[in-house]
Amino acid sequence: MTISYTLEVANARFGGFSKLLFRWRGSIYKLLYKELLVFFSLYILLNLIYRFALSEPQKKVFEEVANYCNENTKLIPLIFVLGFYVNLIIKRWWEQYTSIPLPDQLMCVVSSTVHGGDERGRLLRRTLIRYANLSSVLILRSVSVRVLKRFPTMEHIVEAGFMTPEELNKFESLSSDFNKYWIPCVWFTNLAAQARRDGRVRDDIALKLLIDELNKYRAKCSLLFHYDWISVPLVYTAAFIILLTAPSSPQVVTIAVYSFFATCLMGRQLLLPSAQQNKNLTLDAYVPIFTLLEFFFYFGWLKVAEQIVNPFGEDDDDFETNRLIDRNLQVSFLSVDDMYQNLPPMGKDKYWDEQSALPPYTVATVADNMKPLFMGSTFDMRIEVDSEQSQQVAATPNLPRARTPMLSRFLSSAASPAVGMKNLKGLGVRSHLVRFRGDGFPSPNTNTRYSDLDPDGRIDEEETTEDERESRASEPPTPKVVSRSPRRLEASEKQKKMEQPRTANILITVDEPSEEKAEDEDAEC
């Protein structure tokens, strides 16, 4: 059974993990105590031989070997090898768990797309979801020790209700050298197509949705099979080390850990004070406290990787596949059968007449409502109000243009030489290179007429020296709006027509005749 301690570490507090140190099931003590006892026993045996069974010349040789081993233990990259491998194993362990097929999405689609309140419709829905659960049982039986012990033969699966005897005969009649977990998925697709022809699935879109969800479910079964098939590469496995560890122990990590602590048996021996390199050290200890802690940490790291490299075994923290099978079958039948068209009556919710819904708090949680809501990091920022800086101005394109500094212009002259007005003197092409202020930009004052402007408002670039350009570039730009617009060089045809004087409109007035004039005109007629 999986050991869960999530509730005990829900809140971080002083000594929060101290309660977890005294657990036995699922703990590192349960995994490591045998190896720790073997290592400590060998260490004490060598130490007793060194102290009481060797002569003085033999002690000198033992001390030289111990110092040599202690100096060379640093050459084994134990931390790097262990860290890389454990990171790989933990990532693989979690991905295997997320690959376990769950029928939750598929059962919702079956319940909403396969219609019929009669016995035929109920039989269709239950059979479809049973085929999906049968496929997951077959794949879990292939990778999990616990599931295989629960269903050792196909007859046990029939007895459990996942398969009928007729389906078993059909299943066994299909000859294949490979795992046949996919056969129930094919039965599912054929039965779904038959339901579409019978009108139980009302359109092709619903049928496509049903098949798509089944393919996602089948893909997880396939991925779980491949995780079991393609394990950690075999080059990580050493034959002479496997006999001492789990069958899936990696070669590099296992050799590194075992060789490191085999060297520590000699290199970490507590020698007599007279033989130690530090003559001022007179402590003579028989128990290597820090070496045992080092063994506990590194070897415990390795044992954790050994436990989770295959989470479908029978360790304390392996996946509870049998409980998952029971859960999946129960909730899927409940969803497609008892809950089909079994809806509670609709009614107005509690906040029907309220603009904002605010669920009540208990006394223990009311303090959470008193905390201010996060409105943004600058929401409470206070700035000084400056009337001049707070005025809004319109962004105009008539601001002074940024000019290239002299140094940048000199450095870029080799690649793209600049063309100046002074270089073109006397060439007769000055007219089209004269730049007017505001070229290409509309005038900010739309009511200004061209005839009212000063015709001398142009800026001739050839009269501007290099010093003046540098001084202008160093001056900060001012948002002063230039009220002068460029002088027109030549009026277009459309503008000439608009400037031609228009003829005055002739006003014709007609007086309404009076009654006397109307009588006189009638008399004349």
Side-chain angles (χ1 to χ4, degrees):
M1 181 177 179
T2 304
I3 308 301
S4 179
Y5 57 90
T6 308
L7 181 61
E8 299 183 15
V9 294
N11 299 322
R13 58 185 183 276
F14 177 75
F17 274 55
S18 59
K19 294 182 179 180
L20 305 179
L21 298 178
F22 301 99
R23 286 177 172 264
W24 176 254
R25 295 186 64 242
S27 64
I28 191 63
Y29 317 121
K30 186 177 179 179
L31 289 175
L32 197 60
Y33 76 96
K34 295 179 181 179
E35 286 83 356
L36 185 61
L37 288 177
V38 171
F39 177 80
F40 183 67
S41 300
L42 292 176
Y43 182 91
I44 293 298
L45 179 62
L46 289 176
N47 192 266
L48 293 177
I49 293 175
Y50 161 69
R51 290 175 182 268
F52 303 105
L54 299 180
S55 60
E56 289 299 328
Q58 292 174 342
K59 287 183 179 180
K60 295 295 183 181
V61 176
F62 185 93
E63 292 165 359
E64 291 179 358
V65 173
N67 291 329
Y68 176 79
C69 293
N70 188 31
E71 292 176 358
N72 289 278
T73 53
K74 301 177 182 179
L75 300 179
I76 302 177
L78 188 60
I79 297 179
F80 170 76
V81 173
L82 269 176
F84 176 78
Y85 179 68
V86 173
N87 184 33
L88 171 67
I89 293 300
I90 290 179
K91 181 181 179 181
R92 179 185 175 90
W93 167 76
W94 182 249
E95 289 176 351
Q96 289 184 79
Y97 178 76
T98 56
S99 300
I100 296 178
L102 299 177
D104 296 58
Q105 294 183 2
L106 182 60
M107 68 186 186
C108 293
V109 175
V110 171
S111 180
S112 60
T113 57
V114 182
H115 300 280
D118 55 350
E119 185 176 355
R120 175 64 179 174
R122 180 187 179 190
L123 181 61
L124 276 173
R125 289 188 296 273
R126 290 180 67 93
T127 305
L128 288 172
I129 204 64
R130 182 170 58 83
Y131 286 160
N133 283 280
L134 175 60
S135 180
S136 65
V137 170
L138 292 177
I139 191 61
L140 288 174
R141 182 175 174 269
S142 303
V143 302
S144 177
V145 177
R146 292 178 177 178
V147 178
L148 182 61
K149 287 184 176 181
R150 183 180 180 182
F151 307 109
T153 62
M154 295 298 295
E155 285 73 15
H156 288 81
I157 297 179
V158 174
E159 186 178 356
F162 291 95
M163 181 184 291
T164 62
E166 293 78 11
E167 292 169 353
L168 178 59
N169 295 332
K170 183 70 69 175
F171 183 85
E172 292 179 346
S173 64
L174 298 172
S175 177
S176 177
D177 297 333
F178 303 98
N179 196 316
K180 297 189 291 186
Y181 69 91
W182 47 268
I183 291 180
C185 296
V186 178
W187 291 346
F188 185 103
T189 57
N190 293 333
L191 188 58
Q194 182 180 350
R196 174 69 184 99
R197 290 192 297 268
D198 297 341
R200 300 288 179 171
V201 179
R202 296 179 179 175
D203 50 41
D204 294 336
I205 297 177
L207 179 62
K208 182 180 182 302
L209 178 61
L210 192 62
I211 300 302
D212 288 344
E213 289 300 328
L214 175 69
N215 285 331
K216 294 179 183 178
Y217 187 86
R218 185 212 53 80
K220 285 195 172 184
C221 294
S222 177
L223 188 60
L224 202 62
F225 175 75
H226 287 287
Y227 267 117
D228 182 73
W229 184 15
I230 309 298
S231 58
V232 177
L234 192 59
V235 295
Y236 271 14
T237 307
F240 64 93
I241 296 296
I242 292 176
L243 300 176
L244 302 176
T245 59
S248 58
S249 297
Q251 178 189 24
V252 177
V253 176
T254 307
I255 291 178
V257 173
Y258 274 83
S259 60
F260 178 82
F261 286 105
T263 308
C264 288
L265 286 176
M266 287 294 296
R268 302 298 174 82
Q269 288 287 336
L270 296 177
L271 305 177
L272 295 174
S274 59
Q276 296 178 5
Q277 296 179 355
N278 190 358
K279 302 301 182 181
N280 297 326
L281 184 61
T282 59
L283 179 63
D284 187 10
Y286 290 90
V287 179
I289 301 297
F290 294 100
T291 302
L292 292 179
L293 289 176
E294 193 174 19
F295 180 89
F296 186 83
F297 297 148
Y298 290 155
F299 219 93
W301 210 355
L302 177 64
K303 296 299 291 185
V304 169
E306 290 180 6
Q307 185 182 24
I308 67 176
V309 69
N310 183 13
F312 294 100
E314 295 181 299
D315 295 328
D316 290 338
D317 283 319
D318 284 344
F319 301 151
E320 297 183 33
T321 50
N322 285 325
R323 300 296 296 271
L324 283 174
I325 291 174
D326 298 339
R327 180 261 175 195
N328 294 342
L329 184 65
Q330 182 180 10
V331 301
S332 58
F333 277 160
L334 185 64
S335 175
V336 301
D337 191 4
D338 294 344
M339 295 185 63
Y340 176 72
Q341 299 296 334
N342 187 8
L343 301 175
M346 291 190 301
K348 295 182 179 180
D349 57 84
K350 183 178 180 180
Y351 309 101
W352 180 269
D353 297 325
E354 298 181 11
Q355 293 183 351
S356 60
L358 184 61
Y361 287 82
T362 60
V363 177
T365 59
V366 69
D368 296 337
N369 192 31
M370 301 300 178
K371 297 179 181 179
L373 297 177
F374 181 75
M375 303 296 292
S377 57
T378 61
F379 184 74
D380 295 329
M381 178 181 176
R382 300 185 180 277
I383 57 176
E384 297 181 359
V385 179
D386 190 352
S387 58
E388 295 182 358
Q389 297 294 331
S390 299
Q391 292 181 358
Q392 295 182 347
V393 294
T396 60
N398 292 327
L399 297 177
R401 298 181 180 179
R403 291 174 170 81
T404 306
M406 178 64 70
L407 181 60
S408 300
R409 205 179 314 169
F410 174 76
L411 293 177
S412 61
S413 61
S416 58
V419 179
M421 294 301 298
K422 293 182 178 181
N423 299 331
L424 301 176
K425 283 186 176 182
L427 298 180
V429 293
R430 290 182 53 190
S431 59
H432 68 281
L433 292 177
V434 177
R435 183 176 60 187
F436 299 99
R437 182 177 300 170
D439 280 355
F441 301 104
S443 175
N445 188 1
T446 57
N447 297 326
T448 305
R449 297 173 57 185
Y450 285 108
S451 59
D452 297 335
L453 298 178
D454 186 7
D456 297 329
R458 63 182 182 180
I459 300 176
D460 194 348
E461 187 175 346
E462 66 174 358
E463 297 177 0
T464 304
T465 62
E466 296 295 335
D467 295 336
E468 291 176 350
R469 293 176 183 175
E470 295 297 332
S471 62
R472 289 181 181 179
S474 61
E475 293 178 0
T478 56
K480 183 177 180 181
V481 179
V482 180
S483 60
R484 296 181 179 180
S485 60
R487 186 180 62 181
R488 293 181 298 175
L489 297 178
E490 184 178 356
S492 61
E493 295 295 334
K494 185 176 180 181
Q495 292 173 347
K496 290 179 179 180
K497 293 180 180 180
M498 294 175 60
E499 293 177 357
Q500 290 178 0
R502 298 180 180 179
T503 57
N505 296 331
I506 301 174
L507 180 62
I508 301 175
T509 58
V510 179
D511 296 333
E512 183 179 2
S514 59
E515 295 181 357
E516 296 179 355
K517 291 183 178 181
E519 292 177 355
D520 296 339
E521 291 177 356
D522 293 339
E524 292 177 358
C525 293

